[in-house]
Amino acid sequence: MAGSAGAGDRRILVEWLDPVIVKITINRPEALNSLTRPMMRELAQAFKRIRVEGRARAVILTGAGRAFCAGVDLTAAQSVFQGDVTDEETDVVVQMERCLMPIIGAINGHAITAGFEIALACDILIGSSNAKFADTHSKFGIFPSWGLSQKLPRLIGVNRAREVSLTAEPVDAETAERWGLLSRVVDADKLMPTAIAIAKTVAGNHPGLVLRYKAVINDGIGLTLSEGRQLETERARAYYKQMTPQDFEKMKVFIASRSGKSKL
């Protein structure tokens, strides 16, 4: 658990659900979890600590109340946009992208603008039927700086991304799933159990390979297929080259231990 104050007093909650699964909750429900500068710093540092500690095998990110995150608190816009935004230590998305462990975004409600960008920094996105995404940069004259203009077209296609970003109209959960933005949509009361089940499945797989697999997928997204294949080949060769005979024996044991649990 994080800190000793009451949960209502803390804006970023870090809760270990078991020894290898950690849940982070953006906790400002009275303001739809909009982010102040201190919250952004705290959220960034939470992801950094998880990476540095190295014991987590999966991370769940969600919001308290009826929103995931309504973006940056615009009452403090100047301090956010003209503050220490170039400091990678306190940059939420940079620290999420540096996190080696898979991040599961449990989108419980509105994910707006900066909240949308934080969602896109997750590795797996599931949503409740109440989930809704909106990019309001163009509506309010805010220039995107956490990757939304580049990530969204790669996820849902250029034409759809232009419509989402230039109209600033919201995308509901059903549409987000159909477009591939969400991998699945569940009833609101099943969102966290589903996120935890996915986290447990991920955490139960080979820990070293999960980290390497996430990295090769993410590092290859911006490459051509040929370049991506080359990247995969190079990393596979490096992975097997560093393995000792004892490592291969451990691999055999691990495979045998998992074979009886296979659902295939």
Side-chain angles (χ1 to χ4, degrees):
M1 293 284 188
S4 58
D9 300 323
R10 301 196 309 273
R11 295 309 188 183
I12 303 298
L13 307 180
V14 179
E15 177 185 3
W16 288 88
L17 304 182
D18 69 22
V20 295
I21 298 173
V22 59
K23 181 175 78 167
I24 300 176
T25 304
I26 305 171
N27 184 41
R28 197 186 176 207
E30 72 281 4
L32 299 180
N33 300 321
S34 59
L35 298 169
T36 62
R37 189 64 195 157
M39 288 173 66
M40 292 165 68
R41 285 195 292 266
E42 190 176 350
L43 185 56
Q45 288 305 296
F47 277 103
K48 181 180 179 180
R49 283 194 301 272
I50 289 167
R51 171 175 58 84
V52 171
E53 288 174 1
R55 64 187 174 110
R57 293 190 183 180
V59 183
I60 298 170
L61 177 63
T62 193
R66 61 190 182 92
F68 174 73
C69 175
V72 170
D73 185 341
L74 294 181
T75 64
Q78 183 172 353
S79 68
V80 170
F81 298 126
Q82 293 185 342
D84 54 343
V85 292
T86 60
D87 181 4
E88 294 185 348
E89 289 296 300
T90 60
D91 187 306
V92 176
V93 170
V94 167
Q95 293 303 324
M96 290 179 70
E97 291 174 343
R98 288 179 179 174
C99 185
L100 305 176
M101 303 78 176
I103 302 170
I104 300 159
I107 312 301
N108 53 304
H110 287 75
I112 301 173
T113 313
F116 198 166
E117 292 175 302
I118 288 172
L120 293 187
C122 297
D123 299 295
I124 299 170
L125 278 183
I126 63 171
S128 80
S129 53
N130 299 322
K132 192 167 288 187
F133 298 87
D135 177 7
T136 62
H137 284 104
S138 62
K139 178 178 286 189
F140 296 113
I142 302 168
F143 204 93
S145 59
W146 275 349
L148 189 51
S149 69
Q150 301 305 305
K151 291 180 179 179
L152 192 61
R154 288 166 169 80
L155 284 170
I156 66 172
V158 175
N159 288 341
R160 284 172 173 165
R162 280 194 288 248
E163 179 181 346
V164 170
S165 297
L166 300 183
T167 66
E169 290 295 311
V171 178
D172 62 26
E174 180 182 354
T175 303
E177 182 183 30
R178 191 171 70 248
W179 286 358
L181 181 56
L182 291 171
S183 61
R184 67 179 83 176
V185 174
V186 298
D187 292 339
D189 62 342
K190 293 183 173 64
L191 179 64
M192 195 49 57
T194 301
I196 293 171
I198 293 172
K200 287 183 175 179
T201 300
V202 169
N205 289 333
H206 189 287
L209 201 285
V210 166
L211 301 187
R212 288 176 172 86
Y213 213 147
K214 166 182 165 169
V216 76
I217 291 172
N218 290 356
D219 293 345
I221 287 172
L223 304 178
T224 66
L225 177 59
S226 177
E227 291 168 340
R229 286 283 290 111
Q230 183 63 31
L231 175 68
E232 180 187 78
T233 299
E234 290 171 357
R235 294 198 183 176
R237 288 172 178 166
Y239 176 68
Y240 291 118
K241 185 177 181 180
Q242 54 86 37
M243 290 181 67
T244 65
Q246 292 77 17
D247 290 327
F248 280 103
E249 285 302 316
K250 290 178 182 177
M251 178 187 286
K252 289 181 184 178
V253 172
F254 185 81
I255 292 172
S257 73
R258 299 292 294 166
S259 295
K261 301 176 183 178
S262 175
K263 297 179 181 178
L264 297 180

